[in-house]
Amino acid sequence: MSASGGSKAIVAAFLANMGIALAKFIAAALSGSASMLAEAIHSVADSGNQLLLMFGGNRAKRDADREHPFGYGRERYVSAFVVSIILFSVGGVFAIYEGVEKIREPHALDPAWWWLPLVVLVISIALESFSLRTAVRESNHVREKGQSWVSFVRRAKAPELPVVLLEDTGALIGLAFALLGVGLTVITGNPLFDALGTIMIGLLLVTIAIVLGIETKSLLVGEGANQADYDRIVDAINAGDEIEKIIHMKTLYLGPDELMVAAKIAMSANKPLREVADDIDAIEARIRDAVPVARVVYIEPDVYRPAIDPQPSTDVFVLKSSD
């Protein structure tokens, strides 16, 4: 669900940004608006970002091999992290630079084409709204009931939807800044407002890039199951009468749709090996039923010895995510 939904949102955003970028470049060339040029670069950067996300998604589908025994699922995290860097370097820094240059050397809008940036911006807002609507609709398929959008962006293990959501939201806010800057320049005849709108767009892109970078870095480093999935796994292990207790357990996301679970469990010292093997199979099946993304499960049977294996604190049970 997350992969298909992310693909639909990416394609919608890519198509919208390609058309918008072309219109913005034409409007910037004819009118001389700095805000329009910054927005055009913004749309080009967003289009490149969507291509990177699609590229990472395709590479993540490769089968595991000897060099990468757990597969290539984290390729999607790498692509999202590169997206945040591009958004910062290409979009944000360029927009700030262009705005500063226009303050130092102001250029009035072309009197024959002053209206074109306004028309393009209004149309762009409509197209970006459609793209954002698609991203919101697809996100609602995987967003937990009652979960806030801030929490969804922070906790989502599939990076595509949060990236597109932030990009589309940033694009709409940036278009509003550009519309404000160009509009005030048209009304007052002062090109300073156009330059200030450009700088505001740059600062917005840098802020979004920093947020994306922080979130995707955490995924790259490695996050464990969230509290709800952790509790489901523990309940699944304890649901039968095969074990005496969980000695310790750790989890790690190998990719957006693949969770690894490793647990040491205490079993009766008198159980024959065949019965232990059957019990482990039953536990693994319950874990996968409770948390379908728990595709890689390692269960280590042991005998609980309090002197050697003291009762660990709850924090030791699972490698929790930073959220």
Side-chain angles (χ1 to χ4, degrees), residues 134-266:
T134 302
V136 169
R137 185 175 58 195
E138 297 302 327
S139 297
N140 281 330
H141 292 316
V142 295
R143 187 166 64 104
E144 295 179 5
K145 186 177 181 180
Q147 185 181 25
S148 68
W149 286 108
V150 173
S151 175
F152 174 74
V153 170
R154 291 197 60 205
R155 298 182 180 182
K157 304 305 180 185
E160 292 86 359
L161 285 173
V163 168
V164 174
L165 280 170
L166 286 175
E167 279 189 353
D168 287 347
T169 302
L172 281 173
I173 297 173
L175 287 168
F177 288 160
L179 188 61
L180 178 64
V182 175
L184 289 175
T185 296
V186 170
I187 294 172
T188 65
N190 187 350
L192 176 63
F193 292 110
D194 187 29
L196 291 176
T198 306
I199 293 175
M200 291 171 67
I201 293 169
L203 293 175
L204 171 70
L205 293 179
V206 169
T207 301
I208 293 175
I210 291 173
V211 172
L212 280 177
I214 291 173
E215 294 304 320
T216 52
K217 177 191 72 68
S218 179
L219 292 170
L220 274 173
V221 171
E223 290 188 358
N226 58 38
Q227 189 63 50
D229 284 343
Y230 163 68
D231 292 338
R232 293 188 189 102
I233 294 171
V234 171
D235 291 341
I237 294 175
N238 291 324
D241 57 359
E242 300 93 350
I243 73 168
E244 295 177 351
K245 66 182 302 162
I246 299 174
I247 299 175
H248 63 73
M249 183 177 79
K250 292 184 179 182
T251 64
L252 180 67
Y253 268 93
L254 304 175
D257 304 313
E258 189 171 33
L259 178 68
M260 181 177 70
V261 179
K264 176 183 278 192
I265 58 175

Side-chain angles (χ1 to χ4, degrees), residues 1-320:
M1 180 71 76
S2 62
S4 63
S7 298
K8 291 178 182 178
I10 292 170
V11 171
F14 175 74
L15 294 175
N17 280 317
M18 286 298 293
I20 291 171
L22 179 61
K24 287 176 180 176
F25 272 120
I26 294 174
L30 293 175
S31 67
S33 170
S35 293
M36 284 305 305
L37 181 58
E39 273 298 308
I41 297 299
H42 178 187
S43 294
V44 170
D46 283 353
S47 299
N49 292 342
Q50 273 99 52
L51 287 176
L52 277 173
L53 290 175
M54 287 188 282
F55 176 73
N58 288 330
R59 288 182 61 84
K61 296 176 183 178
R62 290 179 295 169
D63 294 331
D65 51 33
R66 179 177 292 275
E67 188 175 359
H68 297 89
F70 290 109
Y72 292 83
R74 289 197 181 184
E75 287 275 6
R76 290 163 68 182
Y77 297 155
V78 174
S79 296
F81 188 72
V82 174
V83 161
S84 68
I85 296 174
I86 291 178
L87 192 62
F88 172 81
S89 59
V90 176
V93 174
F94 176 84
I96 293 174
Y97 170 79
E98 184 68 18
V100 172
E101 284 297 306
K102 292 300 181 182
I103 291 177
R104 294 172 58 186
E105 298 181 12
H107 296 286
L109 298 179
D110 189 311
W113 296 99
W114 62 266
W115 53 271
L116 185 58
L118 299 176
V119 172
V120 171
L121 287 171
V122 171
I123 295 175
S124 298
I125 288 174
L127 292 174
E128 287 289 359
S129 297
F130 171 76
S131 176
L132 179 61
R133 175 178 172 273
T134 302
V136 169
R137 185 175 58 195
E138 297 302 327
S139 297
N140 281 330
H141 292 316
V142 295
R143 187 166 64 104
E144 295 179 5
K145 186 177 181 180
Q147 185 181 25
S148 68
W149 286 108
V150 173
S151 175
F152 174 74
V153 170
R154 291 197 60 205
R155 298 182 180 182
K157 304 305 180 185
E160 292 86 359
L161 285 173
V163 168
V164 174
L165 280 170
L166 286 175
E167 279 189 353
D168 287 347
T169 302
L172 281 173
I173 297 173
L175 287 168
F177 288 160
L179 188 61
L180 178 64
V182 175
L184 289 175
T185 296
V186 170
I187 294 172
T188 65
N190 187 350
L192 176 63
F193 292 110
D194 187 29
L196 291 176
T198 306
I199 293 175
M200 291 171 67
I201 293 169
L203 293 175
L204 171 70
L205 293 179
V206 169
T207 301
I208 293 175
I210 291 173
V211 172
L212 280 177
I214 291 173
E215 294 304 320
T216 52
K217 177 191 72 68
S218 179
L219 292 170
L220 274 173
V221 171
E223 290 188 358
N226 58 38
Q227 189 63 50
D229 284 343
Y230 163 68
D231 292 338
R232 293 188 189 102
I233 294 171
V234 171
D235 291 341
I237 294 175
N238 291 324
D241 57 359
E242 300 93 350
I243 73 168
E244 295 177 351
K245 66 182 302 162
I246 299 174
I247 299 175
H248 63 73
M249 183 177 79
K250 292 184 179 182
T251 64
L252 180 67
Y253 268 93
L254 304 175
D257 304 313
E258 189 171 33
L259 178 68
M260 181 177 70
V261 179
K264 176 183 278 192
I265 58 175
M267 308 186 81
S268 172
N270 299 321
K271 277 191 176 184
L273 179 60
R274 179 70 188 191
E275 187 175 344
V276 170
D278 291 340
D279 289 345
I280 290 176
D281 290 341
I283 293 170
E284 290 178 350
R286 290 201 303 268
I287 291 175
R288 293 189 175 99
D289 287 340
V291 183
V293 295
R295 300 176 182 176
V296 180
V297 182
Y298 295 110
I299 303 295
E300 179 186 353
D302 203 343
V303 177
Y304 181 62
R305 293 153 291 184
I308 300 177
D309 301 313
Q311 177 67 37
S313 65
T314 304
D315 292 337
V316 178
F317 281 179
V318 60
L319 181 62
K320 297 181 181 178

